Amino acid sequence: MDPSPIQHLIESQVLTVAKTLESQLDDEIAALDRLDTDDIEALRERRLIQMKKAAERRKHWVSIGHGEYGEIMAEKEFFGVVKGSERVVCHFYRENWPCKVMDKHLAILANQHLETRFVKINAEKSPFLAEKLKIVVLPTLALIKNAKVEDYVVGFNELGGTDEFSTEELEERLAKSQVIVFEGESSVNNASRAKAKTRSVRQSEEQSSDSD
């Protein structure tokens, strides 16, 4: 029995895709072959400059409080914080369970997203800011870019309506407002996998030592 027309179509599409990929790979190889020593050295130099700038930027972020989840103790400090960082996530909180849940997730994200400043401020002790920013429900996250509040995350409504939401869900919501850099792969998952890999290596070493 002859193969079905559908099978012929699938085989034809697979062959087309394979030829396209092969052509792209040939073009990339040809481009590399055309590079001389000076071109390669220029690329390396440009890459080193980019890495140096990235390192300096990270060092500056850390120096102004990025990488940790801190608290703003006075309303007047708020303005200095939002002017000092391009991206800020500010948690308006009170001493209750939902706000403590939010604290837990924000502390994790602060460590994973060095490009953004993560802070919290007691809404009940900050009446001027709470009124100015129309903070009613707690917790509320003010998502700030270039010293302007661009968006809010109010309560848990956008996080499944429950306090059992994951850090990844909050991360995706913040990324939606572009207040963190997010390229589709959760930094939280990456960090977890890295820790798991480290534990696995250590366990293997320990088992090897025991067997010796």
Side-chain angles (χ1 to χ4, degrees):
M1 185 180 294
D2 293 333
S4 69
I6 294 178
Q7 184 176 348
H8 277 305
L9 179 61
I10 293 173
E11 290 175 351
S12 175
Q13 290 176 336
V14 169
L15 183 61
T16 300
V17 171
K19 287 182 177 179
T20 301
L21 292 174
E22 184 178 6
S23 177
Q24 290 175 347
L25 183 58
D26 288 341
D27 290 342
E28 291 175 5
I29 292 173
L32 289 174
D33 288 340
R34 287 194 295 270
L35 291 176
D36 58 26
T37 303
D38 290 340
D39 292 326
I40 294 173
E41 190 61 34
L43 285 173
R44 183 181 292 114
E45 183 67 22
R46 192 155 57 241
R47 178 58 179 159
L48 288 173
I49 291 173
Q50 291 173 344
M51 291 173 64
K52 183 178 179 180
K53 286 182 177 179
E56 290 174 349
R57 189 165 58 245
R58 291 172 66 88
K59 184 178 179 181
H60 171 68
W61 283 339
V62 170
S63 73
I64 61 174
H66 289 230
E68 59 184 18
Y69 181 45
E71 181 165 4
I72 298 174
M73 303 306 296
E75 286 183 294
K76 62 182 180 181
E77 294 178 24
F78 173 85
F79 300 100
V81 168
V82 300
K83 288 178 181 178
S85 297
E86 180 183 350
R87 303 179 186 89
V88 178
V89 174
C90 184
H91 174 202
F92 284 83
Y93 80 98
R94 60 183 291 190
E95 293 296 340
N96 64 14
W97 170 250
C99 291
K100 291 184 184 300
V101 171
M102 188 65 79
D103 281 339
K104 178 188 70 171
H105 295 295
L106 292 175
I108 295 171
L109 292 176
N111 183 258
Q112 297 300 326
H113 287 278
L114 202 62
E115 74 280 2
T116 302
R117 181 89 185 266
F118 286 81
V119 294
K120 66 178 181 177
I121 186 169
N122 190 314
E124 295 177 332
K125 296 179 181 179
S126 309
F128 171 78
L129 282 175
E131 182 177 353
K132 182 178 177 64
L133 300 180
K134 297 180 173 58
I135 305 296
V136 178
V137 176
L138 300 176
T140 286
L141 304 183
L143 311 184
I144 305 160
K145 293 179 64 181
N146 299 313
K148 291 178 60 178
V149 178
E150 298 283 350
D151 201 1
Y152 294 94
V153 177
V154 180
F156 298 153
N157 290 339
E158 297 181 69
L159 302 167
T162 172
D163 62 10
E164 296 181 353
F165 65 91
S166 67
T167 305
E168 292 79 8
E169 287 174 299
L170 178 58
E171 184 179 34
E172 290 177 6
R173 174 60 185 85
L174 298 181
K176 185 178 179 182
S177 295
Q178 299 182 339
V179 78
I180 60 173
V181 176
F182 183 73
E183 298 177 350
E185 182 70 18
S186 172
S187 62
V188 179
N189 286 337
N190 286 338
S192 297
R193 283 196 292 269
K195 290 180 180 177
K197 184 176 181 180
T198 300
R199 285 197 299 270
S200 177
V201 170
R202 287 175 179 169
Q203 288 171 354
S204 298
E205 291 175 346
E206 290 171 358
Q207 289 173 357
S208 177
S209 297
D210 291 342
S211 62
D212 291 343

